[in-house]
Amino acid sequence: MNDVFWPWITSTLVATIPPKWVSGFSEPLQEAYGQAFLDELCEQIRGYATWMNEELDDFYREYEDQLGQIGPDQDKDAQVLLGLKMAPHFWAFFEHKRQSATEILRHHTSPAGEPDPLIVKWNEGRYGIYVAQVPLDTVSRWRQPPPVGIVPLIERGLLMRKDPELSPAAIDALEADMSQAEVADRLTWLLHWLRGVACYRAEDYASAATHYQRAFDAAKYTAGEYQYLLVNQYIEVMAKTRQWRQFKKGVLWACYLGVSVRWLREDKPTTDNLKRVYELMGMKQMN
């Protein structure tokens, strides 16, 4: 690691984080969740930092090689500028690895949300320890058993979505069963999704868009892998109803999840590419 560039980064970070901020973050957490939670959180952050340092080792090696090519007489400003020039390329490559690992893991996750350990190990060898281990660590720390009966209700709802005769009455009956099982509040994304599908097939696109919006918002942090198809359909409905801002929001969320967007595929989500997909989806019927 270069003895000029790295101290410049660390000193800048330390200088911009006043001690009062640290205590301001930690004290409310301690009061709300206890010292044990705060200790575990700090340990988790230290673990993530260790994994990220392994990722950064490649950057530092390349940085040292580039310094050697510049020559021994470069000044400190030149060293810092070199680091700033190289950093965007490193982070773009890191994001590409993260998205690739996420897409692979998406196809090898159990219904309970548990990643396949063999795939995690494979991802680690190919893409690095950070992008491989963070999803596994997150699941292992925060996973809770699903409520009794929720999985069959989800599966029932997903089958209903494929039914060409899907009716509001059938969705109401499903909602009643969800309420009976005390899980309706957890599955609002699925109910709105189904109502959106029914409205879309009836060519009531305005109502469909409203339900898809509510399904999308509710599913983002609660539906897990079930939301992947929903996200693509949400994007298409927003294009169909000419809601450009919501369309872009859906595409960016899909990119964050590592979900392939129809008609965009591997293309970058530039404004020109998004406009092209927006027009294509606006003309086509959703499958």
Side-chain angles (χ1 to χ4, degrees):
M1 187 184 308
N2 180 264
D3 60 353
V4 172
F5 184 58
W6 180 245
W8 175 79
I9 293 178
T10 54
S11 64
T12 300
L13 290 175
V14 171
T16 56
I17 304 178
K20 288 184 179 180
W21 285 20
V22 177
S23 61
F25 292 143
S26 62
E27 289 176 1
L29 287 172
Q30 183 182 24
E31 292 174 2
Y33 301 105
Q35 185 62 42
F37 174 87
L38 183 59
D39 291 342
E40 184 177 357
L41 178 62
C42 291
E43 182 63 28
Q44 182 182 18
I45 293 172
R46 282 192 290 269
Y48 284 17
T50 299
W51 295 339
M52 181 54 71
N53 281 336
E54 293 192 25
E55 295 284 343
L56 291 171
D57 283 343
D58 290 337
F59 173 82
Y60 298 138
R61 282 192 292 269
E62 179 64 22
Y63 176 74
E64 294 290 349
D65 289 343
Q66 293 293 327
L67 277 182
Q69 295 178 26
I70 294 175
D73 298 326
Q74 70 273 24
D75 58 28
K76 292 183 178 181
D77 287 344
Q79 296 178 45
V80 171
L81 289 173
L82 174 63
L84 293 175
K85 180 179 178 181
M86 293 175 58
H89 300 285
F90 168 79
W91 290 115
F93 180 60
F94 176 82
E95 178 61 14
H96 172 74
K97 293 195 298 181
R98 190 194 68 80
Q99 290 190 14
S100 298
T102 299
E103 180 67 13
I104 292 170
L105 197 61
R106 180 168 73 88
H107 297 288
H108 298 85
T109 301
S110 73
E114 299 172 341
D116 186 327
L118 294 177
I119 299 302
V120 172
K121 191 68 175 177
W122 188 90
N123 273 344
E124 182 176 333
R126 185 172 180 84
Y127 300 114
I129 188 170
Y130 187 92
V131 298
Q133 290 295 332
V134 165
L136 180 63
D137 178 78
T138 302
V139 170
S140 65
R141 289 177 186 273
W142 308 113
R143 182 179 67 242
Q144 296 180 347
V148 176
I150 194 171
V151 173
L153 287 166
I154 292 174
E155 293 174 347
R156 175 179 159 191
L158 295 176
L159 285 174
M160 288 173 59
R161 185 187 60 80
K162 300 177 181 179
D163 183 359
E165 303 300 324
L166 179 64
S167 66
I171 301 171
D172 290 341
L174 175 64
E175 183 174 11
D177 290 343
M178 289 178 176
S179 298
Q180 180 70 26
E182 299 183 345
V183 296
D185 58 334
R186 295 172 179 249
L187 298 177
T188 55
W189 60 271
L190 181 54
L191 292 169
H192 281 295
W193 188 5
L194 292 173
R195 296 191 192 282
V197 170
C199 291
Y200 190 96
R201 290 174 181 169
E203 299 185 356
D204 182 358
Y205 300 128
S207 296
T210 299
H211 285 296
Y212 268 98
Q213 183 65 61
R214 296 181 69 177
F216 175 78
D217 291 339
K220 287 179 72 174
Y221 302 106
T222 60
E225 64 180 355
Y226 295 116
Q227 70 179 295
Y228 294 131
L229 180 58
L230 168 60
V231 169
N232 256 305
Q233 289 191 357
Y234 169 82
I235 292 169
E236 292 192 35
V237 171
M238 294 305 113
K240 183 72 175 179
T241 54
R242 316 311 289 165
Q243 298 188 56
W244 169 247
R245 292 182 62 185
Q246 302 305 322
F247 168 84
K248 287 198 300 181
K249 183 171 71 172
V251 172
L252 293 177
W253 181 248
C255 291
Y256 173 78
L257 294 175
V259 176
S260 178
V261 177
R262 192 177 304 174
W263 302 107
L264 186 65
R265 301 302 182 189
E266 300 301 323
D267 293 338
K268 293 182 179 180
T270 63
T271 299
D272 287 343
N273 286 337
L274 290 183
K275 286 182 177 178
R276 172 178 57 81
V277 175
Y278 183 69
E279 295 303 326
L280 285 170
M281 288 186 175
M283 293 186 297
K284 293 188 175 292
Q285 295 293 320
M286 183 180 67
N287 293 325

